[in-house]
Amino acid sequence: MFWKLLLTLALLAVNAVASTAEPSKESRSVQLGPRPFYLVDKMDDGALKKKLTSCEPGPFEKSEWSIGHRGAPLQFPEHTEESYLAAASMGAGIIECDVTFTKDRKLVCRHAQNDLHTTTNILATELAATCNKPFVPANGDEKASAECRTSDLTLAEFQTLTGKMDAANHQAKTIEEYLDGTAGWRTDLYASTGTLMTHAESIELFKSLGIRFMPELKIPAVDMPFGDYTREMFAQQLIDDYKNAGVDPSDVFLQSFDLDDVLYWIRNEPKFGRQAIFLDGSFSRDGWSPLDASTWQYGMAELKAMGVNYIAPPIWALVTLENKQIIPSPYAIQARAAGLEIIAWTVERSGPLAGGGGWYYQSIADVIDSDGDVYKLLNVLHEQVGVAGVFSDWPATTTFYANCFGIGRRAN
C-alpha cells in the first residue's frame, strides 16, 4: 500500500518534530507521517476509501478544520511545547491551550487545575509537599491516589516541572509505579522532555507558527473568588493576554463549559465574544439525550438568541444510527437549523476502535469495528453535520481528511 512507501520519510519527519534543536517555525512544513495512510488502508472498500486513497500523494497544508486537542497528546505530553510543535507539524491550523492559574495568578496551559499529579513529574520532586492530597499507595480495594494543583504553586515553581503523558497507575505501591501508567496504545517515547508553557508563551509560539488560538477557560478546582480573584477577573485576564500580544480577535476562539463565561465575553468583549464557543457538557446530566430535545438544558434557538454562535459537544452527541448507517442526530440538526456553528471533540482519543471505540463513539458503537472507521465518522461530520472543525489528539488524521476534501484553508 502507498502508506508503507512513505514510512521512511515519515519517520524522518517525526524525528525532526522531536528534535531538541531550535526549529525554523515560520517555514515548518506539514508532515503527516504514516498514520493517516495506515487508517485508510484499514477501511472497508468503497467510494470514501477510493477518494482518500487518491489523495495520498499530497501535497498537504495546514487546515483550520484540524484542531490540535491539547497539542498532539496521542504521543506527546499534552500542553507542552513539544506537543504543540508536533500538532503544528501535522497541519493543525488551530491549537488548544486549556487555561488555568497559579498561586500568584499567572495563566498557564493545563487541562485542569488539579491534574499535575498525572500530567507532570511533581510527585517525584520536592514540590510534592505542596500537593493538596499527597500520594497514597494502593491498599486492598483502595486505589492509589494523589491531587496536585497549579493554584498551590507559584509560576516559578510550576516552571520547574516536566510534563509527562497524562496517566496514573492506580494499583501502584510507590510513586514511581504511580507515574508509570501510560496506556499501551500511547507511548512514552517522546515523554523524556515535556516543556510546560504559560498561556502567554503559547500565544507567542502559535503566532510564530501562523496558528490560530482556541483557549479554554477551565472550571477552577478551588472555590472562587480565590482571595479577591473572581471568575470574571480570570475570564478577562485570558482575553487581556491576547490584547497585550496584539492578536486580532478574529484569530481567537474562546471556549468554556460554563455558559456564564461565554456570556461575559459576549457582553464585555464582543469582538472576542462573537466566536466564543460554548462547550456543552449536558451529557453529564441524568436523562440527557441528543435524540430528545426535551432533555436539553438549553434550546438551540435560545442559545443563538443569547448571542452564542458556536457550540461544541462530544462527537457521539452529533451522530446516531439509522439502518446501520451513521446519520446526524437531532441535536446536530437543530444546532445547524438555529444557525450555530459546531466544533466536535475528540477523535484519536479512544485508542484502537475494534469493539466499538469506547466513550467517544458510544452512539454509533454498533458500526465501529476498525481503526479506519474514524474516516467514516469524519465524513459524516463534514458532509452531513457540517462541522466547522474537529478536535484530534493526532491532528495528522484530521489534516489529511481536510486536505483531501479541500476544507479549512484560510482565506488570505
Side-chain angles (χ1 to χ4, degrees):
M1 290 297 177
F2 184 83
W3 71 267
K4 295 175 182 176
L5 300 178
L6 298 177
L7 182 59
T8 300
L9 290 176
L11 290 174
L12 291 173
V14 170
N15 287 338
V17 170
S19 171
T20 56
E22 178 64 25
S24 176
K25 299 185 180 72
E26 293 81 357
S27 60
R28 181 167 292 225
S29 60
V30 174
Q31 302 286 344
L32 299 186
R35 182 164 176 78
F37 314 107
Y38 164 83
L39 295 173
V40 173
D41 194 36
K42 294 297 182 183
M43 294 177 67
D44 294 333
D45 291 337
L48 178 58
K49 182 175 182 177
K50 184 176 181 180
K51 166 68 173 176
L52 292 171
T53 300
S54 74
C55 297
E56 288 182 346
F60 305 106
E61 59 185 88
K62 67 184 175 185
S63 168
E64 293 181 358
W65 199 80
S66 178
I67 304 169
H69 179 240
R70 314 184 201 177
L74 183 66
Q75 294 194 11
F76 290 80
E78 66 183 44
H79 292 310
T80 62
E81 182 178 21
E82 293 82 359
S83 189
Y84 292 150
L85 289 173
S89 290
M90 287 185 274
I94 303 174
I95 298 179
E96 177 188 50
C97 164
D98 291 328
V99 182
T100 188
F101 55 85
T102 61
K103 186 177 183 179
D104 46 355
R105 302 178 187 176
K106 305 299 183 182
L107 302 188
V108 295
C109 298
R110 287 290 90 197
H111 175 63
Q113 193 172 61
N114 59 342
D115 72 1
L116 296 181
H117 51 290
T118 63
T119 64
T120 76
N121 66 335
I122 188 171
L123 290 175
T125 75
E126 293 181 355
L127 291 173
T130 68
C131 290
N132 179 259
K133 297 178 182 177
F135 171 72
V136 176
N139 183 17
D141 292 335
E142 295 295 321
K143 295 180 179 180
S145 63
E147 183 181 335
C148 307
R149 299 176 174 179
T150 60
S151 51
D152 289 329
L153 302 180
T154 65
L155 177 59
E157 291 170 331
F158 173 83
Q159 291 176 316
T160 68
L161 301 177
T162 298
K164 61 179 281 293
M165 297 299 283
D166 182 14
N169 175 5
H170 293 289
Q171 304 306 314
K173 300 293 186 180
T174 67
I175 287 174
E176 291 75 18
E177 291 175 348
Y178 185 78
L179 295 175
D180 186 21
T182 304
W185 48 270
R186 292 182 183 267
T187 180
D188 287 318
L189 185 61
Y190 304 113
S192 59
T193 60
T195 307
L196 304 190
M197 302 198 77
T198 67
H199 180 228
E201 288 170 342
S202 78
I203 292 172
E204 291 306 315
L205 177 62
F206 298 170
K207 282 175 62 179
S208 75
L209 294 166
I211 299 294
R212 297 175 91 181
F213 314 85
M214 195 169 277
E216 180 187 338
L217 194 76
K218 301 303 297 187
I219 306 296
V222 296
D223 292 334
M224 299 294 279
F226 183 64
D228 61 352
Y229 188 56
T230 66
R231 180 75 176 174
E232 291 77 15
M233 293 168 67
F234 180 26
Q236 185 62 47
Q237 186 179 356
L238 183 147
I239 285 183
D240 289 344
D241 274 357
Y242 290 96
K243 288 182 171 181
N244 293 338
V247 174
D248 189 319
S250 66
D251 287 334
V252 183
F253 296 84
L254 307 169
Q255 306 175 86
S256 180
F257 276 101
D258 189 333
L259 182 59
D260 287 341
D261 293 333
V262 176
L263 297 179
Y264 172 86
W265 292 323
I266 290 170
R267 290 191 300 266
N268 296 282
E269 293 284 356
K271 291 182 179 180
F272 288 89
R274 66 169 57 103
Q275 55 190 35
I277 301 166
F278 174 45
L279 295 163
D280 190 356
S282 297
F283 58 85
S284 63
R285 300 172 67 232
D286 289 341
W288 185 86
S289 170
L291 308 180
D292 183 357
S294 70
T295 69
W296 304 349
Q297 185 175 7
Y298 305 103
M300 300 302 176
E302 178 186 8
L303 288 170
K304 185 67 176 178
M306 295 178 189
V308 176
N309 292 316
Y310 284 80
I311 193 167
I315 52 177
W316 63 264
L318 296 170
V319 288
T320 188
L321 293 177
E322 184 177 271
N323 299 322
K324 295 188 177 181
Q325 299 297 313
I326 304 173
I327 63 170
S329 69
Y331 180 103
I333 293 168
Q334 291 198 30
R336 291 307 309 274
L340 294 171
E341 296 285 356
I342 301 171
I343 305 292
W345 49 272
T346 305
V347 297
E348 298 287 50
R349 193 159 181 82
S350 298
L353 298 187
W359 190 86
Y360 288 90
Y361 293 79
Q362 60 186 276
S363 63
I364 56 172
D366 288 349
V367 299
I368 301 297
D369 58 16
S370 165
D371 288 345
D373 287 337
V374 66
Y375 282 128
K376 183 163 59 177
L377 171 61
L378 288 175
N379 192 241
V380 173
L381 291 175
H382 165 225
E383 293 197 336
Q384 297 184 50
V385 177
V387 299
V390 180
F391 277 105
S392 177
D393 276 17
W394 197 244
T397 299
T398 42
T399 298
F400 173 70
Y401 180 90
N403 272 254
C404 193
F405 285 85
I407 51 176
R409 296 190 182 100
R410 189 173 184 184
N412 293 320

